[in-house]
Amino acid sequence: MKAFVINKYSKNGSLQLAEVNVPEVKDQDVLVAIHAAGVNLLDSKIKTGEFKLILPYKLPLILGHDVAGVITKVGKNVTKFKVGDEVYARVRDQRIGTFAEFIAINEADAALKPKNLSMEEAASIPLVALTAWQVLVEKAKIQKGQKAFIQAGSGGVGTIAIQLAKHFGATVATTASAKSFDLLEKLGADIVIDYKNSDFENRLSNYDAVLNSQDPKTLEKSLRILKSGGKLISISGPPTPDFAKEIKAPWFVKIILSLISSGIRKKAKAKNVDYSFLWMKADGEQLNEITKLIEAGIIEPILDKVFPFDKTNEALSYVESGRAKGKVIIRIK
């Protein structure tokens, strides 16, 4: 099969189109003929080696975390799916590789594709929707009447997180450039702040939860808008010792993460704010819950561009540019 691979970590290198073997199907796996794959900033960060300390991959490596496609083979212990099912998934770490014609996925990571979405739309959902779910539902436990600040509202995670927070009854504030205001208000944002000429910390106060996806400076500002007992959940770091424990990292990684996160953890503690780092996990059951919301018209995917398979490098460059409004997709079939 054809696949886009990296042979070494590199900031400037491009993905290489290669002929590789179709993945082996284990007992709990389904083999999926890939129709579409989502492109995420995470793919770029893995390409550059930014996460090699916490995610040690063997090279050469096929990139890609989001998939929508059709099952062509099932392992002998698979009970949830059959050949011919249309599915979607964010595949688990250590088993990524959706920039390819086929992928083997543990059945626990997959869900039936929402009936009202195309393959391209479905491929845009898993990573960003699971991230939003795990931040807002699992960690923040967001409830009706609470206030949530979601940074970078027009990005992949932001567009879904706004819709999810509104569904749970929260008042939602977000940041974006002025050209995205109409879209974000349509998605349900109550307060949209133009990050180019206004500072959110001067506009917001007494918030219950913040989804941080930006730089360290923005992370610190976010602390100042939270109420006592509020939750600051970052998907862009710095990772914490608790996260090192979660992933069963070696002792020296725990020490490194403890050092790099000590500043923000101390400041959060002084304000009685709970700081945590979230590395989203593949989860087919949560994806089933998200499917229900999509089929009910509560969550809709926001797509920016769809690239053909042979333009995978251009798709990744476009995501890296930071200009995408919503998700970027590769069409494989």
Side-chain angles (χ1 to χ4, degrees), residues 89-324:
R90 187 285 202 198
V91 296
R92 65 184 60 182
D93 297 325
Q94 303 303 340
R95 298 201 64 185
I96 67 171
T98 64
F99 298 170
E101 292 179 310
F102 292 91
I103 189 166
I105 307 172
N106 187 296
E107 70 166 339
D109 300 346
L112 290 172
K113 178 181 81 63
K115 294 183 184 73
N116 55 338
L117 296 190
S118 67
M119 286 290 186
E120 289 82 11
E121 288 169 328
S124 78
I125 291 285
L127 186 143
V128 293
L130 286 168
T131 300
W133 185 277
Q134 288 164 22
V135 168
L136 294 170
V137 181
E138 279 193 335
K139 281 195 177 278
K141 296 181 171 55
I142 204 77
Q143 291 166 21
K144 190 174 182 179
Q146 290 189 321
K147 298 197 291 186
F149 173 48
I150 292 156
Q151 295 164 10
S154 64
V157 173
T159 53
I160 301 295
I162 289 168
Q163 296 176 76
L164 195 58
K166 283 307 290 182
H167 170 63
F168 285 110
T171 296
V172 180
T174 191
T175 47
S177 62
K179 62 186 176 187
S180 299
F181 277 26
D182 287 349
L183 167 67
L184 300 182
E185 284 163 4
K186 178 175 159 270
L187 294 179
D190 300 286
I191 302 164
V192 188
I193 298 165
D194 186 346
Y195 70 87
K196 290 180 178 173
N197 59 30
S198 188
D199 205 325
F200 69 82
E201 71 172 320
N202 299 328
R203 299 266 309 271
L204 308 176
S205 61
N206 234 24
Y207 269 63
D208 298 278
V210 173
L211 192 171
N212 176 77
S213 58
Q214 304 295 295
D215 56 26
K217 193 176 163 190
T218 310
L219 182 67
E220 277 205 37
K221 282 184 187 178
S222 298
L223 262 185
R224 298 197 273 275
I225 71 160
L226 282 158
K227 60 163 67 165
S228 175
K231 293 184 177 177
L232 176 54
I233 302 150
S234 179
I235 59 172
S236 57
T240 60
D242 285 346
F243 168 67
K245 247 182 258 169
E246 243 176 75
I247 61 166
K248 299 180 173 63
W251 63 270
F252 64 88
V253 173
K254 286 178 193 164
I255 291 169
I256 292 166
L257 298 191
S258 180
L259 290 170
I260 64 172
S261 65
S262 66
I264 193 69
R265 286 187 292 113
K266 276 179 195 156
K267 285 171 184 163
K269 194 175 179 185
K271 279 191 61 76
N272 191 34
V273 164
D274 177 52
Y275 170 73
S276 61
F277 170 73
L278 180 101
W279 183 274
M280 65 77 53
K281 297 178 192 71
D283 191 317
E285 288 306 313
Q286 288 180 357
L287 209 47
N288 279 327
E289 293 303 309
I290 290 159
T291 299
K292 290 173 194 170
L293 297 179
I294 292 167
E295 291 184 343
I298 292 160
I299 287 177
E300 63 170 297
I302 306 297
L303 266 59
D304 184 314
K305 281 190 180 182
V306 178
F307 288 80
F309 188 39
D310 63 353
K311 302 286 186 207
T312 294
N313 275 303
E314 285 90 330
L316 193 56
S317 296
Y318 184 60
V319 167
E320 289 167 346
S321 77
R323 296 194 310 271

Side-chain angles (χ1 to χ4, degrees), residues 17 81 108 290 331:
L17 184 60
F81 304 104
I290 290 159
R331 182 186 289 123

